[in-house]
């Protein structure tokens, strides 16, 4: 290990770009919780917000970039083993393990930050407590974990920033490390396809082990460029990208890469996938309708109501909401006006309602507090957490 | 009846003998509640799990993925920067959100400072073409300083103490004095270093001269202190009284032992397992001990020093990515036929075959690909009876430390002159079961220790209990 790297960075992987001053600034800003069971609360968020430049919440990431240090490893898609994992949180209790917060459900949100969307991270950051609260209301039995990503154009410095699957205040912390360049280059399209690729092939979510799906949202106003390029995949995710894909259980021929439609089809196998299109009449619509079902494209006038729209979609998909009670939910729980509630209802009414409920194990998944024999077991045990006082088994014992 | 047992994992080579995978398997099978760490944090214990996780553990035990706790004992040397990085990595990549809840550290655990790391690397660069072979963390440097300047040593309990800065300043001043020629502004680095090493040396010098460096070290050390749980001997005693299974993981192999290893290419640490068992006894452990040696099915060494059976072709075939593992500090990875002469010596310095309950043999799948299993059970050129028995075995020399070190230096010179007598087993048409049988009988015959685990791959499912 290079020493400058060691004293300059928290992460092993990107030490070659390191600067040891950074190590300390990062350590000051990121508190590692001794017991990270917490969820994102208003108090924690308010406290963290005091350390953030709210005019430009990504200033920390930008400063790092301006110093030539590249992306922070926490939002660099190539860092930390490339695969992003959303795992159930287990804590040992006697000889057993307790599920701390319910089965982990992953929500990945991918925001276009080109051109007029350059402020999307600021908007998302400010809306985070509201978004989180609403998501908790429609996903109450799960452990809510979120990946935030932003994408740009391949001609920009960073095509993709992608956080880890986080809960609690780390969701907000990692937003501040992103680098939205606000470019776009006016070349008829942007490059969300590498983020979609990551969602499909470089994500490992426990919810999928149960046969259920996570959620994946892309917000844009442009078509995606085609094709997906090997060189760009290696640029975004590192040279080992195809090994990581393989490690994650997928086979991809680097010389015969999937199209954007094929990537989305693969993503749909593990995630309820939606595209938010912020300009209905654009050429973007013509493009996206060729790569994803029309009922998974949601038309929005702006990104202001994204938290409410996402909550509505998830509520409908999970069977927590119906179209008939949605307006009441939005008015009473999200505090939006009746007009806005009606607008959201219209936008989401075509989605596959109850899609999650139709999946096997929907009503069987473990719940918060269930006990398991092994940390990675899927299903709970009937045993109690006390010390094991059973008799020595009669079979031959190895050593 | 409740089981109270500690599995002591002993690398009977030069390190790199799959201690991590072996310890992980034991932890899985026995549902170990705690892994006890001894040795140095420069260790890199690889674990690959059947559900796709891969990690090299340094401070944390190899049972971390399974939810086992880690206890870092007083016989371990830690490095706070690396500890924090490791914890962050386990959290960020592997989603162990409450990672520090898994860790307790004895208050008297010695800590490496960045000045020790820098100094250790300086020394290796200064050796030019005669490298000692180091990992480059500074564990040895720290241990030597602890012995010579005990008042300056920094322990886990000091990481948050007001005296930390003062101690760091003392360490820095001492190192400044030791390297004053190199650190002076008019030094011509080419007088001291290879041209290729000048850049590295300059980086180190910059850090020494960086006026804010100590502040940042204090900041990081304080931060680590605020995260970790520091324990005392009462905690360790109660841990040892607890029912259930624990695994003791050490760095290095016994052939790197400071006294009984092949000098000068040894660690500053004492590696022999009996010393770790003494610690367990000292704190009142009354349960059963299971001592499990680990080796690959071929000889391997990462770094300078003897490896009598070294074979270039085998190295290329067995460690195809060996060039990636090569670095300025440890040098090349080398492999060769499994050397039963050195294994026997390793067993003997631990107390003989009766000390061990079994041995774990790894990477048999790689040998299958070679279609032949080469072993060495004697050397040519081992005629000096000061060092070898008439039957060719290496003598275990007993004396005071200094005389022993001198003897071991001469022994290394003897070994460097030896060549291996190789025996080759054709396994090209041998079913796996028969290969396992052959492996067991050869180990039993040569070492008088039974094979209790054999692995044909990386994950716990690839390791067969016997």
């Amino acid at each position: 290990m290079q020493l400058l790297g060691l004293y300059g960075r928290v992460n092993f992987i990107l030490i070659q770009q390191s600067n040891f001053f950074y190590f300390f600034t990062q350590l000051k800003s990121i508190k590692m919780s001794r017991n990270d069971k917490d969820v994102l609360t208003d108090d924690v968020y308010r406290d963290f917000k005091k350390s953030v430049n709210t005019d430009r919440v990504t200033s920390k990431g930008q400063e790092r970039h301006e110093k030539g240090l590249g992306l922070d490893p926490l939002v660099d898609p190539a860092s930390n083993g490339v695969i992003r994992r959303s795992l159930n949180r287990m804590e040992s209790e006697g000889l057993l393990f307790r599920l701390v917060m319910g089965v982990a459900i992953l929500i990945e949100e991918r925001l276009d930050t080109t051109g007029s969307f350059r402020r999307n991270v600021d908007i998302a950051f400010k809306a985070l407590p509201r978004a989180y609260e609403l998501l908790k209301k429609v996903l109450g039995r799960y452990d809510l974990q979120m990946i935030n990503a932003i994408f740009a154009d391949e001609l920009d410095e960073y095509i993709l920033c992608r956080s880890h699957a986080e809960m609690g205040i780390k969701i907000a912390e990692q937003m501040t490390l992103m680098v939205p360049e606000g470019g776009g280059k006016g070349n008829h399209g942007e490059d969300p396809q590498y983020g979609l690729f990551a969602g499909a092939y470089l994500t490992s979510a426990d919810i999928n082990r149960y046969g259920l799906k996570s959620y994946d949202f892309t917000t844009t106003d442009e078509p995606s460029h085609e094709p997906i390029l090997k060189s760009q995949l290696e640029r975004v995710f590192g040279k080992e990208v195809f090994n990581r894909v393989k490690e994650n259980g997928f086979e991809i021929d680097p010389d015969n890469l999937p199209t954007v439609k094929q990537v989305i089809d693969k993503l749909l196998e593990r995630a309820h996938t939606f595209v938010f299109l912020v300009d209905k009449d654009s050429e973007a619509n013509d493009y996206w309708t060729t790569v994803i079902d029309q009922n998974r494209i949601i038309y929005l006038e702006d990104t202001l109501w994204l938290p409410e729209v996402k909550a509505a979609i998830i509520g409908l998909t999970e069977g927590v909401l119906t179209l008939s009670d949605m307006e009441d939910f939005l008015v009473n729980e999200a505090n939006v006006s009746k007009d806005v509630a009606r607008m959201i209802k219209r936008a989401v009414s075509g989605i596959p309602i109850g899609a999650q409920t139709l999946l096997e194990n929907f009503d069987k998944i473990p719940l918060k507090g269930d006990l398991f024999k092994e940390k990675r077991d899927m299903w709970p045990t009937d045993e109690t957490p006390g010390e094991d006082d059973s008799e020595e088994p009669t079979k031959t014992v190895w050593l | 009846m409740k089981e109270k047992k500690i599995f002591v994992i002993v690398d009977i080579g030069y390190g790199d003998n799959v201690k991590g995978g072996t310890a992980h398997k034991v932890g899985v099978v026995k549902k170990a509640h705690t892994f006890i760490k001894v040795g140095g944090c420069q260790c890199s214990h690889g674990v690959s799990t059947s559900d796709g996780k891969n990690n090299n553990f340094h401070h944390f035990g190899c049972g971390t993925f399974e939810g086992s706790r880690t206890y870092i004992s007083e016989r371990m040397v830690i490095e706070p920067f690396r500890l924090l990085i490791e914890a962050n990595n386990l959290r960020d990549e592997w989603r162990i959100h409450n990672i520090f809840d898994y860790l307790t550290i004895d208050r008297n655990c010695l800590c490496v400072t960045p000045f020790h790391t820098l100094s250790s690397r300086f020394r290796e660069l200064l050796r030019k073409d005669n490298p000692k072979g180091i990992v480059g963390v500074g564990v040895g440097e720290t241990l030597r300083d602890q012995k010579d300047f005990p008042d300056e040593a920094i322990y886990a309990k000091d990481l948050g103490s007001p005296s930390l800065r003062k101690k760091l300043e003392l360490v820095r001043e001492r190192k400044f004095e030791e390297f004053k020629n190199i650190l002076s502004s008019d030094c011509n680095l080419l007088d001291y270093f290879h041209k290729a090493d000048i850049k590295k040396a300059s980086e180190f010098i910059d850090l020494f001269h960086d006026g804010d460096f100590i502040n940042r070290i204090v900041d990081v050390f304080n931060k680590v202190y605020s995260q970790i749980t520091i324990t005392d001997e009462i905690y360790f005693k109660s841990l040892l009284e607890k029912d259930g299974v624990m695994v003791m993981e050490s760095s290095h192999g016994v052939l790197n032992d400071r006294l009984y290893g092949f000098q000068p290419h040894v660690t500053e640490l004492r590696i022999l397992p009996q010393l770790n068992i003494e610690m367990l006894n000292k704190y009142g452990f009354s349960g059963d001990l299971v001592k499990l040696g680990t080796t690959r099915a071929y000889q391997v060494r990462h770094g300078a020093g003897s490896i009598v059976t070294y074979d270039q072709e085998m190295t290329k075939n067995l460690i195809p990515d060996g060039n990636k593992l090569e670095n300025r500090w440890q040098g090349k990875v080398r492999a060769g036929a499994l050397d039963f002469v050195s294994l026997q010596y390793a067993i003997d310095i631990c107390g003989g075959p009766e000390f061990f309950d079994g041995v774990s043999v790894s990477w048999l799948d790689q040998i299958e690909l070679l279609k032949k299993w080469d072993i060495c059970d004697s050397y040519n050129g081992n005629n000096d009876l000061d060092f070898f028995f008439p039957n060719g075995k290496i003598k275990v020399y007993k004396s005071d430390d200094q005389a022993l070190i001198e003897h071991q230096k001469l022994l290394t010179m003897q070994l460097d002159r030896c060549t291996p007598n190789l025996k080759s087993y054709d396994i090209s048409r041998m079913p796996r079961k028969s290969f396992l049988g052959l492996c067991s009988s050869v180990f039993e015959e040569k070492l008088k220790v039974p094979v209790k685990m054999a692995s044909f791959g990386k994950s716990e499912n690839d390791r067969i209990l016997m």
Side-chain angles (χ1 to χ4, degrees), chain A residues 83-88 103-108 145 147 162 165 198-215 248 250 270-271 376 378, chain B residues 95:
Chain A
I83 299 165
R84 296 290 170 258
R85 298 169 202 276
S86 162
L87 306 181
N88 293 342
V103 169
I105 182 92
L106 177 64
I107 298 175
E108 174 151 10
Q145 302 187 359
I147 292 178
R162 191 184 191 209
Y201 297 105
L202 294 167
T203 308
S204 174
D206 272 356
I207 191 72
N208 298 138
R209 293 170 74 207
Y210 295 95
L212 302 190
K213 295 184 183 181
S214 59
Y215 289 89
N248 204 30
F250 299 99
R270 54 154 301 272
R376 290 296 290 151
M378 276 177 67
Chain B
R95 318 314 294 156

Side-chain angles (χ1 to χ4, degrees), chain A residues 20-193:
Chain A
F20 52 84
F21 290 102
Y22 181 69
F23 186 81
F24 300 94
T25 51
Q26 188 176 32
L27 284 175
K28 275 171 193 160
S29 65
I30 297 178
K31 297 168 192 164
M32 284 193 65
S33 166
R34 281 291 308 279
N35 195 347
D36 199 355
K37 285 198 269 287
D38 55 332
V39 290
L40 185 68
T41 62
D42 284 350
D43 286 348
V44 173
Y45 176 79
R46 254 198 310 272
D47 192 35
F48 174 69
K49 202 174 159 192
K50 286 176 196 160
S51 67
V52 176
N53 174 359
T54 47
D55 292 335
R56 193 188 184 205
V57 298
T58 54
S59 54
K60 191 177 285 177
Q62 308 267 15
E63 277 166 27
R64 183 186 161 82
H65 161 66
E66 282 153 20
K67 283 179 189 165
L69 297 173
L71 289 177
D72 188 286
L74 290 170
V75 295
D76 185 342
S79 74
N80 288 328
V82 180
I83 299 165
R84 296 290 170 258
R85 298 169 202 276
S86 162
L87 306 181
N88 293 342
R89 287 189 268 180
M90 299 274 203
E91 280 193 355
S92 65
E93 191 166 318
L95 292 172
L96 302 177
F97 293 90
R98 191 176 288 282
L99 184 63
V100 182
M101 299 292 291
V103 169
I105 182 92
L106 177 64
I107 298 175
E108 174 151 10
E109 177 162 26
R110 199 171 296 109
L111 290 172
D112 188 337
T113 50
T114 60
S116 59
F117 281 168
R118 71 187 63 211
R119 305 289 297 179
N120 266 348
V121 180
D122 296 296
I123 294 167
F125 181 85
K126 281 167 192 160
L128 182 60
R130 185 173 111 234
Y132 191 85
E133 239 354 89
L134 280 172
L135 292 173
K136 261 189 1 186
K137 282 177 182 162
V138 291
L139 290 168
R141 65 176 180 157
Y142 300 99
D143 178 9
L144 175 55
Q145 302 187 359
M146 295 168 75
I147 292 178
N148 281 296
I150 60 171
F151 62 89
D153 188 277
E154 64 184 10
L155 298 177
D156 286 316
E157 181 95 16
Y158 307 114
I159 304 178
L160 180 71
C161 298
R162 191 184 191 209
S163 80
H164 289 69
E166 294 294 354
M167 61 292 295
I169 195 62
K170 283 187 177 293
I171 301 168
E173 286 173 350
Q174 293 182 15
M175 279 179 158
T176 66
L177 303 173
M178 306 235 171
V179 185
E181 294 172 82
K185 311 300 177 189
N187 53 358
H188 298 289
E190 308 299 354
D191 288 274
Q193 68 275 35

